[in-house]
């Protein structure tokens, strides 16, 4: 990729109506808040030259391991995306699945887990059908190396699931 940009946005829109005791009229209150991570093009801090958006289908009880380091993941143009710094990740259920959700991370199962802005020795997040995405990122990013490279998508449920994995980072 020779140019581009990345934006990961999280937004919440909530609202409600309240009729106070002895109230004459209901009071409505909408709340809108959001946060966005924007990465310009390049390999320096706060920038990314690798943008991957991949659809992954995982059978019931199975897992899929994505290697962020070796270039086997392809960017949005179909070119190898050998990450050396991960600056943003988002994973959400696109279809299927069940109440068991989908585990994202290492979960102690995969060797050389990728840094996903999660803490602990068996880091994972769980996303659910109809629920929000797991998303995280940092302009500084986290290093990806031969010893920290694998992203596991594990489906503990009884139904196949399709997830979208979106990653941004740098090749240097």
């Amino acid at each position: 990729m020779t140019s581009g940009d990345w934006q990961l946005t999280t937004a919440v829109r909530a609202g409600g109506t309240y009729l106070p005791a002895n109230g004459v009229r209901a009071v409505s209150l909408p709340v809108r808040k959001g946060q966005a991570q924007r990465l310009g093009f390049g390999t320096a801090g706060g920038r990314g030259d690798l943008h991957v958006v991949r659809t992954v289908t995982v059978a019931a009880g199975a897992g899929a391991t994505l290697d962020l380091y070796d270039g086997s993941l392809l960017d949005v143009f179909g070119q190898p995306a050998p990450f050396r710094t991960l600056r943003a990740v988002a994973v959400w259920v696109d279809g299927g699945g069940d109440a068991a959700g989908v585990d994202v991370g290492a979960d102690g199962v995969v060797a050389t887990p990728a840094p996903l802005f999660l803490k602990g020795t068996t880091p994972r997040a769980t996303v659910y059908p109809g629920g929000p995405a797991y998303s995280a990122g940092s302009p500084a990013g986290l290093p990806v190396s031969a010893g920290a490279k694998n992203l596991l998508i594990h489906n503990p449920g009884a139904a196949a699931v399709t997830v979208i994995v979106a990653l941004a980072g740098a090749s240097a």
Side-chain angles (χ1 to χ4, degrees):
M1 194 161 70
T2 57
S3 68
D5 61 3
W6 172 273
Q7 180 173 321
L8 176 61
T9 303
T10 302
V12 174
R13 187 180 81 192
T17 302
Y18 176 66
L19 181 59
N22 300 322
V24 182
R25 64 185 185 125
V27 177
S28 295
L29 177 67
V31 177
R32 291 183 180 97
K33 298 289 180 187
Q35 181 63 35
Q37 177 188 16
R38 291 179 179 87
L39 302 173
F41 183 76
T43 59
R47 300 189 169 280
D49 67 336
L50 299 175
H51 302 157
V52 171
V53 179
R54 180 167 177 185
T55 301
V56 180
T57 300
V58 185
T65 302
L66 306 179
D67 187 323
L68 279 60
Y69 185 77
D70 70 359
S72 59
L73 280 179
L74 303 179
D75 72 9
V76 294
F77 294 107
Q79 301 299 308
F83 284 89
R84 296 303 178 260
T85 304
L86 181 65
R87 293 207 167 92
V89 58
V91 180
W92 64 93
V93 175
D94 192 48
D98 59 26
V102 177
D103 296 330
V104 179
D107 198 20
V109 176
V110 64
T112 61
L116 291 178
F117 308 95
L118 297 167
K119 302 288 184 184
T121 57
T122 58
R124 73 174 180 171
T126 304
V127 293
Y128 297 92
Y134 163 69
S135 64
S138 163
L142 297 171
V144 177
S145 67
K149 64 178 183 172
N150 289 319
L151 166 56
L152 176 67
I153 307 295
H154 180 251
N155 178 8
V161 66
T162 300
V163 298
I164 305 295
V165 178
L167 307 162
S171 60

